[in-house]
Amino acid sequence: MKALAALIHRELLEHKGAFLYAPAVLLGLFTLTLASAFAFNKVKVPIEVGMPTAVKFYEMAFLGMAGLWFVYLMIALFFYFADAFNADRRNNAMLFWKSMPVSDFGILSSKMLSGMTLFPAIIFFMLLVTGLVLYGMTGVATVALPRLVVPTVPEILSSSVQVVSVALVYFAVAMLWYAPFFAWVGMLSTLVGRWSIPLAFLIPGLAVLGENLFVRGLPEIIGGFLFGGGPQGGYIADYLGRRFHFGPEQNLMRDAFLSDTPVNAMVLIENLFSGLDWVQLAGGLIVAALMVFAASEYRRRVVAT
Amino acid sequence: MVNENATLAVPVVSARGLRKRFGRTEVLRGLDFDIPPGRIYGLIGHNGAGKTTTLNAILGLSSYEGTVRVLGEDPFQKRAKLMENVAFISDVASLPRFLRVRELFALLTNIHPSFSQEKARSFLEGTDVKMEQRIKNLSKGMIAQLHLAVVMAIDARLLVLDEPTLGLDITYRKRFYRRLLEDYMTEERTLLITTHQVDEIEFMLSDIMFIRDGALVLHMQMETVSSKFTQLVIADPANVASARALKPIFAETRFGQTVMIFDGVDRDALAAFGAVSTPTLSDLFVALMQRDPGVGAV
């Protein structure tokens, strides 16, 4: 465990630009932008939306920022996995790490675990800090926009707990849900380095194309028909579409944003859990583990330098 | 091939029928050797002779045919476990460049159970390497010193060095080997080195292995080299024909003199034709590495 923790720490040291410095800079820019907007009286509320309560103003901003941080995390993780699984080779440090008493599976597992736990945790921490910034800005907003009623501390606390709970569960489950995709990118990276970036999409794209051309299209052209109609775009595209979908029903999220009532974390979490394909999630984790193992065997057997 | 390492000690490294193919090319052609503990071995050969491939097999970095045992384990199957007792430098530039020296030591303390941070820090005393420096900002010589400090701070039973001083100037190279000999070697430790700068490590070797075209052409203790091989420098051209009758394994002309190397010929018999001495390792290397023994003959 000590070695694994050290290897995860190594990942942070190697990728702190993407997961520490860049988010901190973004957070700083966000704070500055908001502060300057209030300072120069640039905050405008469209009449058709109406003036929310201060708590709602805080909730909407916090939820919106949670979504943005989530998008940032997913993009950063994609590029992390496209880089990290091949970084030792590219940095000419492969032989050094192979001189350590850690298996190739151990090394790649530490990279996978870093991407699934530590980095999301850092971005989640950034979200918490964002909440604090937004809380401060809400206070400023009540001064700048006199129609807003100053929220009480229990109101803000309750609201924060609800939003943070939703974000925490969504971040955690999303990591599990998308683990096979990230493992796929990592495995490709072990094989072909940064070519994994286009290939992660190109290979599934070719599979979809191949299915439509040769399994679905060609038999129709020559008069035969093997598999019937099937879903629009083919079975592979249909599966990938469902596998990439993650989140609550859109109406529910819109209501959480626009209704006058406070965000209810339990409703959103229950909706996420009830809509989640748990068999797919468990199967995906097994597939992710197998892909990391396959990548580690390739690294052990083929990548000597 | 000559193998005169008659020893009862359990070998640290043992290879039987070690073969390696890259496609249709056979790079290693059935090597058989044992490396006993407490020895300093030099594995010497031309570029492409199979040195690094042999080391990669010993270190579990690549697959192979035949049997290899390092400290009793199959290195390809048990590399991670083996690395608790084996250290190696395969390339001086292989330290992770994004780390600071302090961070590297902290990581190694947690990753390697046999690494001593105190020892590593003490080995760096007197060098220009500072704990807060990033490795990418160190010079090539400083990186070599740091890497040596790292491996010397690992309490390993086998240390493998593959061209560890490549690209370093003569000062660093001499300091590197002196440090290794003075601060690291003990009777329990075994050292295996490959290098092209044969003369620089000759003084420290206890055994040599010459490898040519994937096969061992010589495997011998250094003491035996001096008793078995003789160099003869002939100043008088009249003696050349007589000396050649004793079948030198190598002959060439240097500055008007004829130099011959003999294998297993009585020194007293040779002394009659000129000055006799023990050939340097580089002279012996040149003599034995020729694919056609007649090429070098004058």
Side-chain angles (χ1 to χ4, degrees):
Chain A
M1 279 306 287
K2 207 167 73 165
L4 182 63
L7 287 171
I8 290 175
H9 183 214
R10 169 192 97 137
E11 289 304 306
L12 176 61
L13 292 171
E14 191 170 4
H15 297 93
K16 58 189 171 193
F19 293 102
L20 215 55
Y21 297 154
V25 168
L26 284 175
L27 186 58
L29 286 174
F30 170 73
T31 308
L32 271 176
T33 307
L34 268 187
S36 63
F38 281 113
F40 299 111
N41 198 22
K42 297 286 184 189
V43 179
K44 296 277 188 294
V45 180
I47 293 167
E48 62 272 20
V49 173
M51 179 58 67
T53 64
V55 173
K56 200 64 197 173
F57 173 86
Y58 170 74
E59 268 183 1
M60 286 165 61
F62 203 177
L63 269 179
M65 285 309 294
L68 289 177
W69 276 124
F70 181 73
V71 170
Y72 176 85
L73 174 66
M74 299 307 276
I75 293 170
L77 281 180
F78 173 73
F79 285 102
Y80 166 74
F81 280 100
D83 172 81
F85 274 50
N86 189 51
D88 294 340
R89 191 178 202 178
R90 192 166 36 75
N91 299 339
N92 199 26
M94 180 65 79
L95 286 171
F96 175 78
W97 294 111
K98 289 214 175 202
S99 73
M100 293 293 110
V102 184
S103 66
D104 292 282
F105 184 66
I107 296 266
L108 294 191
S109 296
S110 73
K111 292 173 185 288
M112 190 74 197
L113 283 172
S114 303
M116 294 289 103
T117 58
L118 178 64
F119 298 146
I122 293 171
I123 299 300
F124 189 77
F125 175 76
M126 294 293 172
L127 173 63
L128 296 181
V129 179
T130 308
L132 283 177
V133 171
L134 289 171
Y135 174 63
M137 292 304 158
T138 307
V140 175
T142 57
V143 177
L145 304 168
R147 282 180 293 168
L148 285 177
V149 179
V150 180
T152 62
V153 172
E155 277 179 327
I156 282 289
L157 274 179
S158 165
S159 204
S160 299
V161 168
Q162 297 295 322
V163 174
V164 167
S165 303
V166 170
L168 181 62
V169 171
Y170 271 64
F171 269 52
V173 178
M175 288 304 104
L176 298 175
W177 183 250
Y178 288 119
F181 173 68
F182 290 128
W184 161 248
V185 178
M187 186 178 74
L188 285 176
S189 172
T190 310
L191 297 171
V192 294
R194 284 179 172 166
W195 280 102
S196 58
I197 294 171
L199 286 178
F201 301 104
L202 192 61
I203 292 172
L206 287 173
V208 170
L209 189 65
E211 183 199 2
N212 280 288
L213 276 179
F214 300 113
V215 181
R216 289 158 56 88
L218 201 57
E220 284 186 32
I221 292 167
I222 61 177
F225 198 76
L226 289 178
F227 293 100
Q232 184 73 24
Y235 289 98
I236 297 174
D238 180 62
Y239 174 75
L240 292 176
R242 281 186 286 116
R243 200 61 184 72
F244 262 89
H245 174 73
F246 177 80
E249 292 170 18
Q250 281 192 344
N251 291 344
L252 205 64
M253 193 52 93
R254 193 186 58 210
D255 291 347
F257 259 101
L258 298 180
S259 75
D260 291 335
T261 54
V263 168
N264 186 332
M266 284 309 293
V267 172
L268 288 171
I269 292 169
E270 276 177 16
N271 183 264
L272 173 71
F273 284 173
S274 63
L276 204 61
D277 186 340
W278 292 94
V279 177
Q280 276 290 334
L281 188 142
L285 290 176
I286 294 169
V287 169
L290 289 174
M291 284 196 277
V292 173
F293 178 73
S296 72
E297 278 300 292
Y298 179 81
R299 179 177 155 125
R300 184 174 81 85
R301 291 169 185 275
V302 180
V303 185
T305 55
Chain B
M1 189 202 73
V2 186
N3 184 354
E4 299 192 350
N5 284 319
T7 175
L8 294 176
V10 177
V12 173
V13 181
S14 174
R16 293 290 177 274
L18 172 58
R19 291 177 185 277
K20 177 70 183 178
R21 286 187 179 82
F22 292 118
R24 290 181 181 177
T25 309
E26 193 172 41
V27 181
L28 297 180
R29 303 180 178 191
L31 304 189
D32 295 312
F33 61 87
D34 289 327
I35 299 180
R39 314 289 295 180
I40 302 179
Y41 262 70
L43 178 61
I44 295 155
H46 287 300
N47 289 332
K51 302 187 297 295
T52 298
T53 309
T54 305
L55 294 190
N56 282 350
I58 290 172
L59 294 168
L61 297 174
S62 68
S63 60
Y64 48 79
E65 297 169 45
T67 305
V68 178
R69 290 290 177 268
V70 178
L71 301 170
E73 303 278 8
D74 178 343
F76 189 59
Q77 296 301 328
K78 299 281 177 68
R79 180 191 59 78
K81 181 171 180 278
L82 207 56
M83 288 303 132
E84 290 180 9
N85 290 303
V86 177
F88 70 87
I89 300 179
S90 279
D91 186 335
V92 288
S94 74
L95 290 175
R97 297 165 61 82
F98 61 91
L99 292 174
R100 295 177 191 279
V101 177
R102 169 180 53 78
E103 292 168 340
L104 175 70
F105 286 1
L107 283 178
L108 286 171
T109 304
N110 289 319
I111 291 173
H112 206 305
S114 307
F115 175 78
S116 163
Q117 184 161 179
E118 291 72 34
K119 276 188 190 173
R121 283 173 182 263
S122 74
F123 288 135
L124 283 185
E125 283 171 12
T127 70
D128 295 330
V129 181
K130 301 289 177 265
M131 296 303 287
E132 288 305 317
Q133 279 181 296
R134 281 191 194 284
I135 293 170
K136 68 180 173 191
N137 294 333
L138 298 177
S139 71
K140 205 167 186 176
M142 288 157 81
I143 290 177
Q145 285 177 325
L146 175 61
H147 208 157
L148 184 65
V150 166
V151 295
M152 289 204 308
I154 293 172
D155 187 17
R157 291 173 60 193
L158 172 65
L159 175 59
V160 178
L161 305 173
D162 185 8
E163 300 283 1
T165 56
L166 199 65
L168 299 183
D169 66 38
I170 183 71
T171 318
Y172 273 118
R173 295 204 300 266
K174 283 194 176 296
R175 194 185 301 168
F176 183 95
Y177 290 120
R178 194 177 63 237
R179 202 83 199 256
L180 198 62
L181 208 57
E182 291 172 358
D183 298 337
Y184 186 76
M185 276 309 293
T186 63
E187 285 181 1
E188 292 78 37
R189 287 177 170 153
T190 306
L191 188 55
L192 176 56
I193 310 175
T194 73
T195 180
H196 284 105
Q197 280 117 7
V198 184
D199 292 333
E200 287 176 19
I201 62 166
E202 184 172 355
F203 76 99
M204 62 191 279
L205 295 181
S206 66
D207 300 75
I208 51 165
M209 290 196 288
F210 283 176
I211 187 169
R212 186 182 72 196
D213 298 333
L216 286 182
V217 293
L218 183 76
H219 180 185
M220 191 175 282
Q221 292 184 9
M222 288 299 284
E223 295 88 349
T224 314
V225 169
S226 55
S227 62
K228 187 171 166 58
F229 293 99
T230 307
Q231 179 171 279
L232 172 65
V233 179
I234 305 169
D236 184 357
N239 289 331
V240 170
S242 307
R244 180 166 294 143
L246 295 174
K247 296 195 168 80
I249 58 170
F250 177 77
E252 68 175 358
T253 303
R254 291 181 202 160
F255 307 113
Q257 295 181 319
T258 301
V259 178
M260 294 179 177
I261 292 176
F262 293 87
D263 178 2
V265 178
D266 183 26
R267 285 197 176 204
D268 293 336
L270 294 172
F273 306 119
V276 294
S277 60
T278 300
T280 63
L281 215 47
S282 54
D283 285 336
L284 191 59
F285 177 74
V286 171
L288 293 176
M289 285 298 122
Q290 293 183 108
R291 291 181 176 84
D292 175 7
V295 169
V298 289

